[in-house]
Amino acid sequence: MSGMKKISKTTKNNMVTYLMVLILFVIMQILVSAGSVSSLLQGLLVPLCAYIILAVSLNLTVGILGELSLGHAGFMCVGAFTSAFFSKCMADAIPVTGVRFFLALLIGAASAGVCGILIGIPVLRLKGDYLAIVTLAFGEIIKNIVNILFIGKDGNGFHFSTTDSRSLGLDAGGEVIINGPQGITGTPKDSTFTIGVILIFVTLFIVLNLIHSRSGRAIMSIRDNRIAAESVGINITKYKLMAFSISAALAGLAGVIYAHNLATLTAQPKNFGYNMSIMILVFVVLGGIGNIRGSIIASIILTLLPELLRGLSDYRMLIYAVVLIVMMLFNWSPKAIAWREKYTEKLKRRTKREV
């Protein structure tokens, strides 16, 4: 009976999370159709979906596995460029937008997941600050590799170079697909807000089901006490690698919708550098480490806040900083946690009385 209660409570929590995303989506769609949302804010909707997916997936590594990773922007970069490359090459071969974009999503997620496994095997032996530094270095390496990569296509197939586009030696009808620091231009603009929200649901479904599964409990036991987990026969490497690679694959998924929303995709420090990884980590920490719902709310507030405060341009970053501090205190201050628990208990008692 208690098992049934436990299952229903977990399902109830998950349903609340799904419902929250659905309500926010419906409200935003109503506001957009009513013309109440500025074009600048509308342009932020697809990147916002990408940030939510990134925050939820990073929470899997930071909150559930308990390892500090700063290479999330690197996995996003892998997903973005492999999918954009595929879409650009297949624009004529697969004219059906839906099919091409679905395949691009699979390719982006798979390539980032493979990178997650390859990086995870040596890196997950490290802990704490060392792991953070190595994953940060991985993100920077990926960005710099993309910036020196030139790939072209002509009648003879693909041509690769790390010098410049002229050294590719393309035929007259050839086309440069990846042009080093100038990136990929002309990726089909297939991403929409609706697709972004569907992918948020997919991410939530994967992450929430993993957390509440047997594997999820094994991952959390590694986080809580590695030695005790190992002593009862839990395969540490297997479960750490599972969490890390799923997190990386979902970051690749976010990279796909991010890439298919831009006319030109470049690997700049602002979109795939360590600042992006830090920003995603800020979403996770502010929303509460291990709190999936909190990651979604923090992503929305911190992405939209600077734009909503654009009118107060002189005080914009000051207000942003104050909100960061207030959210941090609310989430992590012992007194605030005690007050929240007390208030929640009161609310539960009142609900029981009414029932």
Side-chain angles (χ1 to χ4, degrees):
M1 193 70 185
S2 64
M4 284 299 284
K5 262 187 187 173
K6 210 174 186 180
I7 290 164
S8 63
K9 191 183 171 189
T10 302
T11 312
K12 216 183 286 176
N13 270 338
N14 292 357
M15 292 313 287
V16 168
T17 310
Y18 295 136
L19 195 65
M20 183 184 84
V21 174
L22 190 63
I23 289 166
L24 289 170
F25 171 66
V26 170
I27 291 168
M28 191 51 82
Q29 288 290 62
I30 291 165
L31 289 173
V32 169
S33 56
S36 309
V37 181
S38 67
S39 58
L40 195 73
L41 218 55
Q42 280 186 47
L44 270 179
L45 292 178
V46 174
L48 175 62
C49 292
Y51 296 150
I52 291 171
I53 293 167
L54 287 163
V56 170
S57 60
L58 183 62
N59 215 337
L60 183 60
T61 302
V62 176
I64 311 306
L65 179 61
E67 297 288 4
L68 182 59
S69 168
L70 292 176
H72 227 50
F75 296 123
M76 181 192 178
C77 186
V78 170
F81 275 88
T82 50
S83 65
F85 181 80
F86 170 80
S87 291
K88 183 96 190 279
C89 292
M90 294 295 173
D92 299 326
I94 309 172
V96 184
T97 306
V99 175
R100 188 181 61 235
F101 189 55
F102 179 70
L103 290 172
L105 284 167
L106 293 179
I107 286 166
S111 56
V114 168
C115 277
I117 293 167
L118 294 175
I119 298 299
I121 290 166
V123 160
L124 288 173
R125 296 173 192 278
L126 304 169
K127 285 183 203 147
D129 302 345
Y130 301 106
L131 178 69
I133 290 163
V134 174
T135 50
L136 182 68
F138 158 73
E140 290 302 296
I141 288 165
I142 289 291
K143 178 172 68 69
N144 288 317
I145 286 173
V146 168
N147 279 330
I148 60 157
L149 202 59
F150 295 85
I151 301 177
K153 184 188 175 192
D154 61 13
N156 300 320
F158 291 102
H159 300 258
F160 299 85
S161 172
T162 52
T163 318
D164 56 28
S165 53
R166 284 196 302 274
S167 62
L168 288 169
L170 297 173
D171 294 348
E175 180 191 18
V176 178
I177 298 168
I178 299 182
N179 195 9
Q182 291 173 358
I184 300 177
T185 309
T187 309
K189 216 170 178 188
D190 296 333
S191 292
T192 62
F193 181 47
T194 309
I195 289 170
V197 171
I198 290 166
L199 290 176
I200 290 171
F201 279 117
V202 170
T203 304
L204 285 172
F205 181 78
I206 292 167
V207 172
L208 291 172
N209 278 307
L210 177 66
I211 290 169
H212 300 297
S213 69
R214 192 179 169 193
S215 299
R217 287 191 292 275
I219 290 163
M220 285 187 274
S221 70
I222 294 166
R223 175 195 67 191
D224 295 336
N225 193 324
R226 186 194 166 107
I227 295 164
E230 207 162 7
S231 69
V232 293
I234 289 170
N235 186 333
I236 306 280
T237 312
K238 174 191 161 186
Y239 286 111
K240 279 179 96 169
L241 204 55
M242 179 195 286
F244 195 71
S245 56
I246 290 171
S247 176
L250 292 172
L253 208 62
V256 177
I257 57 166
Y258 187 82
H260 287 73
N261 187 49
L262 300 169
T264 304
L265 178 68
T266 54
Q268 298 296 324
K270 65 172 192 229
N271 55 357
F272 295 120
Y274 63 86
N275 281 343
M276 173 66 97
S277 291
I278 299 291
M279 187 178 81
I280 302 156
L281 187 64
V282 167
F283 295 158
V284 172
V285 173
L286 284 182
I289 290 175
N291 184 344
I292 302 298
R293 218 175 293 160
S295 294
I296 298 170
I297 295 164
S299 305
I300 293 167
I301 291 171
L302 296 183
T303 305
L304 298 183
L305 193 69
E307 296 310 320
L308 295 172
L309 296 173
R310 202 167 270 279
L312 305 161
S313 54
D314 294 343
Y315 306 103
R316 190 164 67 130
M317 293 322 284
L318 175 67
I319 297 167
Y320 182 81
V322 168
V323 169
L324 274 179
I325 293 165
V326 169
M327 282 179 76
M328 202 69 176
L329 289 171
F330 182 73
N331 272 322
W332 297 103
S333 157
K335 281 186 180 174
I337 291 167
W339 175 82
R340 274 209 316 271
E341 283 172 356
K342 188 179 166 187
Y343 182 75
T344 312
E345 202 57 47
K346 272 185 186 174
L347 204 69
K348 274 181 186 172
R349 272 197 230 115
R350 198 181 299 161
T351 314
K352 272 181 187 172
R353 256 187 251 127
E354 285 169 8
V355 169

